[in-house]
Amino acid sequence: MCARSIFGLALVLALPFGCANKGETQVMQPVVLGMLETAAPTYDDGQMQIYEAYLPVELPLRQPSDDERPKARPIPTPRPPFHLASDTRITARFTLSNLEDKEHTVELLVNPWNEFVRYEPGVIVTEEETTPNLSGINSRVILPPLGRLEGIITPDDFVELATDLGTAMKLHKTPPPADSQFAGPALYNRAFNVVNRSSEPDLVLGPYFPAVVANIVGFDLGLRTYEHAKISVEVVMDIEDLKNDRVIAAYYTDKERVGRPGKALTPPPPPMRP
């Protein structure tokens, strides 16, 4: 079961201006992340082993000047976001590959950044079990021996990812009461659950939806298994500039990217119950 890979055909567009023209789509060079079968576990409690590999992926979105920022101060961001989810259309096409002659269950992970924070899900550790919190995108697939699987993360998915990160920021800023059933990581995982979409009414999460959705400026791309595995993922990003001046054109190295934020946001641990 091997699907033909199309990612080797991707090119980087060289645009004639410092920022992309409105409606122009820039195709980033392929990003490749691999995991070796000799990798040590990132978590091991003697009963469960978790194997993970991560790679930061920066999108070519530029830093604003001081006089370009809006003056309002929306919650939960510490200052108004310059990059909004409505400014671009982001698409990711990926190929997951099993490099061994045996079946593996693999999780493809995307943990988003905006210009303020990056999301680091962490794990829930209790006396009964250890469970990773949900990533921004947490797709579990079964890869057959020497198999390959292609997929796509759509622009709507990226808008949802940006909204979910904004929701997590508001949860961190104004958390539910400590004695509430929604305390701890519960609402974070509800927000990032793929079956929950911010476009649908949600009486529990609704109050935490951000009024202004800061755009995704990058993400940590990850792979996770619960056994030794030799696997890889290849990703190509398409970014369409809808504002005319948000995306840095290829080869313009004098333009500073927003980059990976230094502050991480991780859900709190489950509350202690009597």
Side-chain angles (χ1 to χ4, degrees):
M1 181 179 174
C2 291
R4 182 175 62 89
S5 174
I6 62 172
F7 295 104
L9 303 178
L11 302 175
V12 176
L13 301 183
L15 303 179
F17 302 102
C19 295
N21 291 331
K22 187 172 183 179
E24 290 279 6
T25 298
Q26 184 174 159
V27 183
M28 295 174 57
Q29 292 182 351
V31 175
V32 180
L33 170 66
M35 180 188 292
L36 295 176
E37 72 278 18
T38 55
T42 54
Y43 177 86
D44 187 350
D45 61 7
Q47 295 182 324
M48 171 186 284
Q49 292 78 42
I50 300 175
Y51 300 85
E52 294 178 325
Y54 287 97
L55 180 70
V57 180
E58 292 186 11
L59 301 185
L61 300 177
R62 70 178 180 88
Q63 285 279 13
S65 62
D66 291 338
D67 59 357
E68 287 181 309
R69 297 189 183 280
K71 303 304 180 184
R73 185 175 179 178
I75 301 296
T77 57
R79 54 175 171 74
F82 175 69
H83 289 284
L84 303 179
S86 57
D87 291 346
T88 58
R89 284 176 54 85
I90 306 171
T91 306
R93 295 173 176 82
F94 64 87
T95 299
L96 279 165
S97 298
N98 185 355
L99 305 177
E100 293 187 292
D101 194 15
K102 61 180 179 179
E103 181 179 279
H104 286 299
T105 298
V106 179
E107 294 181 26
L108 175 67
L109 312 173
V110 175
N111 292 318
W113 322 333
N114 57 29
E115 55 194 275
F116 307 103
V117 297
R118 65 184 191 274
Y119 193 64
E120 292 186 354
V123 297
I124 303 172
V125 180
T126 67
E127 293 182 357
E128 294 79 21
E129 61 180 354
T130 298
T131 308
N133 286 309
L134 290 177
S135 290
I137 290 176
N138 205 132
S139 179
R140 177 177 290 191
V141 299
I142 297 176
L143 287 178
L146 299 175
R148 189 176 285 175
L149 176 69
E150 295 181 355
I152 186 169
I153 304 172
T154 68
D156 286 346
D157 293 331
F158 274 100
V159 171
E160 181 67 23
L161 197 58
T163 305
D164 293 344
L165 181 54
T167 301
M169 291 178 69
K170 197 165 184 179
L171 282 166
H172 178 75
K173 183 82 172 179
T174 56
D179 59 352
S180 165
Q181 62 176 317
F182 300 119
L187 291 187
Y188 293 81
N189 288 316
R190 183 185 181 108
F192 284 111
N193 193 317
V194 68
V195 302
N196 287 331
R197 307 292 283 189
S198 58
S199 56
E200 299 293 329
D202 190 319
L203 294 179
V204 177
L205 275 180
Y208 296 98
F209 290 159
V212 177
V213 181
N215 203 8
I216 299 301
V217 302
F219 54 88
D220 290 311
L221 175 67
L223 293 169
R224 178 190 293 143
T225 66
Y226 295 87
E227 61 182 358
H228 285 292
K230 188 177 182 180
I231 53 177
S232 70
V233 62
E234 187 176 34
V235 180
V236 168
M237 306 287 301
D238 300 347
I239 307 175
E240 183 180 358
D241 193 343
L242 302 179
K243 287 284 286 188
N244 191 36
D245 63 350
R246 294 301 191 262
V247 178
I248 302 173
Y251 305 123
Y252 275 80
T253 57
D254 60 326
K255 301 291 182 179
E256 185 179 359
R257 296 186 180 194
V258 176
R260 190 173 191 257
K263 184 177 180 180
L265 173 59
T266 299
M272 298 296 293
R273 301 298 184 188

